[in-house]
Amino acid sequence: MSPEGIAGQLGAPLIIALFVVFYGGTLLVSFTIGKKKENADGYMTAGSKIGFGISAASMTATWIWASSMYASATSGYTYGVSGPIHYGLWGALMILFIYPFGRRIRKVAPRAHTLAEVMYARHGRSSQLMLAGSNVLGSVISLTSNFIAGGALVSMLSPFSFQQGIVAIAGGVLLYTLWSGFRASVLTDFTQVMAMLGAVVIIIPVIFFAAGGPSIFTEGAANVTPQQQSFFSSDAFLNQGAPYIAAVLAYAIGNQTIAQRLFAVREDLIKPTFITATVGYGATIIGIGMLGVMALYLGIEPAGGDVNNLIPQLATTYLGPVLLAVFFIMIIGALSSTADSDLSALSSIMMADVYGQNVAGRKEADPRTMLLVGRVTMIVATAAGLYFASGQLNILELLVFVGALWGALVFPVIASFYWGRITNAAFTVAVLSALAAFVPVRFELIPMTGPVAIVVDVLAVIGVGVVLGLMCFGFFGLRVALMVGAVATVVVAPFGIGFLHDYTVLSASLIAYSVSTIVSVAMSLRNRESFDFSLIARRTGDFDETDGDVPDDVTAQAPTH
């Protein structure tokens, strides 16, 4: 099916009605929680009292975005049956791996609003600005990506243009998020994730049986290679699974949209929240990715040569108007839930990190001015996202760069919450060194031959040990983490050296981890003083005189102190 054949499947009146129902409903939710006198802390973290159901749904909805749906289907189409599993499973497990670190972060900074704010309390301004700056860039790029995905979907399925699509989506998201900030984001996330999960449960089986059911896999076997048929495809693991493990761990630790939910949920509910989000994300994304596997077995060629068209192609081919409208809501819900999280994250960074600590100072910060800063930030960020999206820019390389920046930050950030000897200088130099090593490898600025290739492979092998060690550290402690990291490095070294440099994305990501770890440890070992972690709680906290409050249905079961 050509792009022209897909276009206009949903008429203008139906598209307008869907937008009115979806964004009108979310706006109504926002109105119901609106307050005449808004609270700065509530605007940023909902008073740190969000209950289990809302927080788990919000975490799931934020992690599922339109690009992740498309990417999972692309992985299925490219690597076969194991592609969506590598994409969805590792992404889901990364949510799970966050929670032990999250409990430690909340223990030392129970009333913080951003990770960068905590880094300021722990180290100083340079560490804070590195984390805050990476999140500003990352959230604007994410916002742009979601606008592009939404605009493309609107232009593909309706008579409206791409430009009209991105304006409608940007306006809808801004409208319901602007007044109540993060509280509006988390409460609308619940509705959005329910709509997404319901749509997935209906749409995937309908497409599967309409396309031929189980016979797809027997009749279409000639369209796939042995690697694409295997659940244990080495091609899928090295090109999709392994790089994704490194990338998602970086996004999980460094991303303010995740940290904001960590600071918002009740501290005693962190574990069940993250476990539930793990299951919800994994089931949804793996299920959506199977649409790509179906397209592979059916021998479908992507419209216009763009694999991002695979999901809309299957939807328009096998779904009637009613289910196609449900599909449209599913994608719009996915991108809106992430876009409003990006707006909330950006507003919190500008409120707490820029104005609250670097302009006015914590003691002199005016909560009313903070609210104004947050709302102006949302408007400016939406305008910036529209500007970049209107050019339909290829933002892949920027996303790669931000992912690398977060990868370079992972070890220094985690170590800063456990190890008293790591210093601000070690943090800063380690991140800059990791970026300096990452860029020439990832963008192939130097030839991967001879001694250079060997050095790259050695650092990448060390990176494998760092990643696996960090995963184990949160759950099992330092001794197990060191053992796992050392064993992994030794086991991978014989075949990894001389081999890993051929996989540019994987080796570059691993180098970011290894270099930042080596440099930060080497510099910190010279420091004989140990940081007093109790200082972080005293240096962070509410900006309002009273706690930020949230609706009764969100704070149900909140403990009394």
Side-chain angles (χ1 to χ4, degrees):
M1 180 182 291
S2 66
E4 292 76 13
I6 299 176
Q9 294 288 317
L10 297 175
L14 180 56
I15 287 290
I16 293 174
L18 291 174
F19 271 115
V20 170
V21 169
F22 182 82
Y23 287 117
T26 51
L27 182 60
L28 182 61
V29 171
S30 183
F31 280 155
T32 61
I33 64 172
K35 293 182 292 185
K36 186 176 181 180
K37 185 177 180 181
E38 188 55 79
N39 178 291
D41 296 299
Y43 197 85
M44 290 187 283
T45 57
S48 302
K49 299 176 183 176
I50 296 183
F52 167 69
I54 299 294
S55 58
S58 182
M59 183 68 74
T60 305
T62 299
W63 208 249
I64 299 171
W65 52 323
S67 295
S68 67
M69 289 184 169
Y70 290 167
S72 184
T74 298
S75 185
Y77 186 78
T78 305
Y79 301 113
V81 292
S82 65
I85 296 174
H86 278 299
Y87 190 94
L89 177 63
W90 298 118
L93 289 180
M94 286 307 106
I95 303 176
L96 185 65
F97 286 128
I98 302 169
Y99 101 75
F101 299 121
R103 294 173 70 179
R104 172 63 180 174
I105 293 170
R106 281 293 296 274
K107 182 178 179 180
V108 301
R111 305 296 293 179
H113 308 87
T114 72
L115 270 180
E117 178 187 4
V118 182
M119 286 300 103
Y120 182 86
R122 173 66 176 87
H123 290 302
R125 186 165 284 115
S126 64
S127 301
Q128 177 203 27
L129 294 180
M130 281 187 174
L131 202 52
S134 68
N135 272 286
V136 169
L137 181 59
S139 289
V140 170
I141 292 171
S142 173
L143 199 63
T144 302
S145 176
N146 280 290
F147 289 167
I148 289 174
L153 185 70
V154 170
S155 66
M156 186 179 294
L157 298 183
S158 77
F160 294 110
S161 68
F162 173 84
Q163 302 289 346
Q164 290 170 322
I166 62 174
V167 170
I169 290 167
V173 173
L174 178 63
L175 200 61
Y176 73 79
T177 311
L178 183 64
W179 183 253
S180 299
F182 179 73
R183 294 185 298 114
S185 174
V186 293
L187 286 179
T188 54
D189 278 347
F190 183 83
T191 304
Q192 290 162 350
V193 81
M194 291 299 104
M196 283 189 286
L197 295 177
V200 167
V201 169
I202 296 170
I203 286 172
I204 295 175
V206 169
I207 293 178
F208 177 68
F209 287 106
S215 62
I216 294 174
F217 299 106
T218 54
E219 296 174 3
N223 296 323
V224 299
T225 65
Q227 281 282 321
Q228 290 172 327
Q229 288 180 315
S230 173
F231 277 99
F232 304 99
S233 168
S234 59
D235 188 32
F237 177 74
L238 290 170
N239 287 288
Q240 174 68 68
Y244 198 55
I245 294 172
V248 176
L249 181 60
Y251 272 75
I253 296 299
N255 195 328
Q256 171 60 18
T257 61
I258 304 301
Q260 196 165 18
R261 280 147 184 81
L262 170 64
F263 289 125
V265 65
R266 270 175 39 197
E267 192 170 351
D268 60 312
L269 296 176
I270 291 175
K271 181 177 180 179
T273 293
F274 279 80
I275 291 176
T276 303
T278 297
V279 176
Y281 172 87
T284 303
I285 292 301
I286 291 174
I288 288 289
M290 289 303 167
L291 294 177
V293 178
M294 282 187 239
L296 174 66
Y297 274 85
L298 290 168
I300 294 175
E301 290 295 326
D306 186 355
V307 288
N308 286 329
N309 289 331
L310 285 172
I311 293 180
Q313 275 180 263
L314 289 170
T316 54
T317 302
Y318 297 108
L319 298 178
V322 174
L323 287 181
L324 194 58
V326 173
F327 165 80
F328 182 83
I329 290 294
M330 178 184 75
I331 301 299
I332 295 299
L335 64 89
S336 296
S337 65
T338 304
D340 63 33
S341 299
D342 288 322
L343 290 179
S344 298
L346 285 166
S347 66
S348 293
I349 290 170
M350 298 303 292
M351 290 168 71
D353 294 309
V354 176
Y355 171 77
Q357 288 184 314
N358 287 292
V359 176
R362 171 166 294 278
K363 294 182 179 179
E364 302 298 326
D366 182 356
R368 291 173 297 178
T369 304
M370 293 183 74
L371 285 169
L372 177 62
V373 169
R375 288 173 178 144
V376 170
T377 297
M378 287 192 181
I379 295 171
V380 172
T382 301
L386 280 172
Y387 174 77
F388 293 124
S390 64
Q392 294 182 264
L393 301 176
N394 183 346
I395 60 174
L396 178 60
E397 290 191 354
L398 283 175
L399 282 170
V400 168
F401 183 79
V402 173
L405 179 55
W406 282 333
L409 285 162
V410 169
F411 181 86
V413 167
I414 292 176
S416 296
F417 287 100
Y418 293 88
W419 191 23
R421 291 172 64 179
I422 187 169
T423 63
N424 185 46
F427 188 109
T428 305
V429 174
V431 173
L432 294 177
S433 300
L435 284 176
F438 167 85
V439 171
V441 175
R442 176 59 186 88
F443 298 106
E444 301 181 29
L445 302 179
I446 54 177
M448 290 295 137
T449 57
V452 173
I454 298 298
V455 171
V456 167
D457 288 343
V458 169
L459 290 174
V461 166
I462 295 173
V464 172
V466 171
V467 171
L468 295 179
L470 287 174
M471 290 179 178
C472 293
F473 172 67
F475 288 99
F476 307 112
L478 181 60
R479 181 175 297 180
V480 173
L482 291 174
M483 290 176 58
V484 169
V487 170
T489 301
V490 171
V491 170
V492 172
F495 65 88
I497 297 175
F499 167 75
L500 282 175
H501 66 270
D502 291 329
Y503 295 87
T504 304
V505 176
L506 175 58
S507 59
S509 298
L510 292 173
I511 284 174
Y513 279 91
S514 63
V515 171
S516 64
T517 301
I518 292 169
V519 174
S520 59
V521 170
M523 292 185 63
S524 298
L525 286 175
R526 297 182 298 174
N527 177 32
R528 297 301 177 186
E529 297 182 4
S530 184
F531 179 77
D532 179 4
F533 286 99
S534 66
L535 292 174
I536 294 179
R538 281 179 262 165
R539 294 172 179 174
T540 58
D542 293 337
F543 287 92
D544 286 283
E545 293 182 0
T546 57
D547 290 346
D549 55 292
V550 287
D552 292 339
D553 57 332
V554 181
T555 59
Q557 303 176 4
T560 56
H561 298 279

